[in-house]
Amino acid sequence: MLKLSQIAQLLDQPAPAVEKTIRGVAALDEADADQLGFMSSSKYASLLSETKAGAILVPDKFKGAFPDASVIFKVVDVELALAKLLPSFARKMEVPAVGVHPSAVVDPSATIDPTACIGANATIGPEVKIGARTLIHPGVVIGAASVIGTDCELHPNCVIRDQSRIGNRVNIKANAVIGSDGFGFRWDGTQHVKIPQVGIVVLEDDVEIGSCSAIDRAKFGETRVGRGTKIDNHVQIGHNVKIGMLSIICAQTGIAGSGVIGNGVVLAAGVGVANHSKIGDRVTAAARTGVAADVPPGQIIAGAPYVPHRQWLREQAAIHKLPELIERVKELEEKLAKLENPTT
């Protein structure tokens, strides 16, 4: 919980004339007098007249009326303001104590910084290196010769396979798998022959990997995720994929082997990227887009196979008119037939 003056300080705003304790955050229509409400868009403005929130976050460009009982904080970006405030209201998650839990299995050749935290039943393989202040939660498995940087957090039961390279401040959520074999097979006339996958995975600094996502090791060389890129839950990254910096990859997206994703790319939920396809910098792909050819930088795309987003919108609008159009064509065909054959 926070006092109003503390909220103002975190938001770099003057302290309000009144002081009270705010115990949590809630939507405008659910907030009580001791909670902070928020309005991220003016489409929720109608709720302002009914809210009981003791304080409200609103965009600084909003010019509407506010309830008299609430303290108003006007901010440039409501979501970014919430990012500053929410940690103070959240219950602190339990983390492993500094040092190695007695039940953890650590190979004698592993190097673990004394400030790192190794949780219960974690398994640390030979020649692993773990940096300062890194948190290894219970059940994590780290394969041989992997390197984990400083200030990382590996959540319960995630798996880091052999020789993976994890940068600094990387956050890997529960049950994610980094560095399993890429999906490589070759038909020899009678069966699918397994192609050995002998490369590695590299996650650069400030990467986040969601729960149950999988990033495959390269056939040879490396699969790489660039600095600051965020990957959602249930995402599949194939072998030898290269993802640039500061990209967003949303849930259920799949990127096939050797795909190349640029910097600042946004792939919405369920996007499919075919093998060897290249997506340029700053591309945004709408949900369920199918990418089977290269995409130039800066495009907004949708559909499968993909087309420019505006074209896709027009096509979708036209599809809804097809039944009416078909009936109209039938009528015209009947009229034309009568004109061509007036005696029938």
Side-chain angles (χ1 to χ4, degrees):
M1 54 187 176
L2 291 172
K3 293 184 179 296
L4 288 175
S5 57
Q6 293 174 310
I7 292 175
Q9 184 176 13
L10 288 170
L11 299 178
D12 296 320
Q13 296 197 6
V18 298
E19 183 67 290
K20 66 184 298 185
T21 298
I22 299 297
R23 302 182 183 278
V25 179
L28 282 176
D29 55 346
E30 299 175 351
D32 294 325
D34 62 351
Q35 291 181 306
L36 174 72
F38 62 94
M39 186 183 74
S40 56
S41 169
S42 58
K43 68 182 180 180
Y44 302 110
S46 62
L47 299 176
L48 284 171
S49 61
E50 304 172 5
T51 187
K52 299 177 182 178
I56 303 173
L57 283 175
V58 298
D60 59 1
K61 295 181 179 179
F62 181 72
K63 304 301 182 183
F66 300 104
D68 296 334
S70 301
V71 173
I72 306 300
F73 294 104
K74 292 187 175 183
V75 295
V76 174
D77 189 308
V78 170
E79 293 297 329
L80 290 179
L82 285 172
K84 294 179 180 179
L85 300 177
L86 285 174
S88 298
F89 295 107
R91 179 177 177 177
K92 302 298 182 184
M93 293 182 62
E94 292 187 12
V95 298
V98 173
V100 179
H101 191 277
S103 65
V105 178
V106 179
D107 189 275
S109 63
T111 302
I112 300 174
D113 188 278
T115 63
C117 309
I118 310 299
N121 300 310
T123 301
I124 313 298
E127 301 178 30
V128 167
K129 296 181 180 179
I130 298 177
R133 300 174 300 281
T134 283
L135 303 178
I136 306 298
H137 284 265
V140 170
V141 176
I142 303 177
S146 293
V147 177
I148 315 294
T150 63
D151 298 299
C152 295
E153 185 167 9
L154 277 58
H155 292 261
N157 300 316
C158 72
V159 176
I160 312 299
R161 297 300 303 273
D162 298 6
Q163 298 180 307
S164 296
R165 299 289 182 266
I166 311 297
N168 303 317
R169 301 174 300 280
V170 172
N171 194 319
I172 302 176
K173 300 299 178 62
N175 298 305
V177 180
I178 311 300
S180 281
D181 281 358
F183 192 71
F185 296 88
R186 186 74 172 182
W187 182 253
D188 70 354
T190 59
Q191 63 180 337
H192 296 288
V193 177
K194 172 70 174 177
I195 305 298
Q197 309 288 298
V198 298
I200 64 172
V201 171
V202 178
L203 305 183
E204 296 182 3
D205 295 348
D206 302 301
V207 165
E208 181 165 318
I209 308 297
S211 295
C212 299
S213 288
I215 303 179
D216 292 345
R217 69 172 56 248
K219 180 179 178 181
F220 43 79
E222 61 185 35
T223 303
R224 178 175 288 267
V225 178
R227 175 180 61 81
T229 284
K230 312 299 183 184
I231 295 176
D232 199 358
N233 304 330
H234 295 278
V235 170
Q236 163 64 25
I237 308 297
H239 57 193
N240 291 92
V241 166
K242 303 290 189 297
I243 301 177
M245 301 183 297
L246 303 173
S247 290
I248 295 287
I249 313 296
C250 295
Q252 298 183 334
T253 288
I255 305 175
S258 299
V260 178
I261 311 299
N263 301 320
V265 170
V266 176
L267 302 183
V271 169
V273 181
N275 60 316
H276 296 276
S277 297
K278 296 181 179 179
I279 297 179
D281 295 346
R282 305 177 310 284
V283 166
T284 295
R288 303 298 179 186
T289 298
V291 179
D294 293 353
V295 184
Q299 302 292 303
I300 302 176
I301 60 174
Y306 85 84
V307 294
H309 188 254
R310 289 183 180 276
Q311 177 181 339
W312 180 81
L313 290 174
R314 291 194 299 270
E315 291 173 354
Q316 294 304 302
I319 286 173
H320 292 294
K321 296 178 181 179
L322 280 178
E324 177 185 345
L325 180 61
I326 290 171
E327 291 301 318
R328 181 61 176 158
V329 169
K330 287 181 179 179
E331 292 176 5
L332 292 173
E333 287 177 336
E334 290 173 0
K335 289 180 180 179
L336 181 60
K338 290 180 179 180
L339 290 174
E340 292 177 342
N341 301 283
T343 59
T344 60

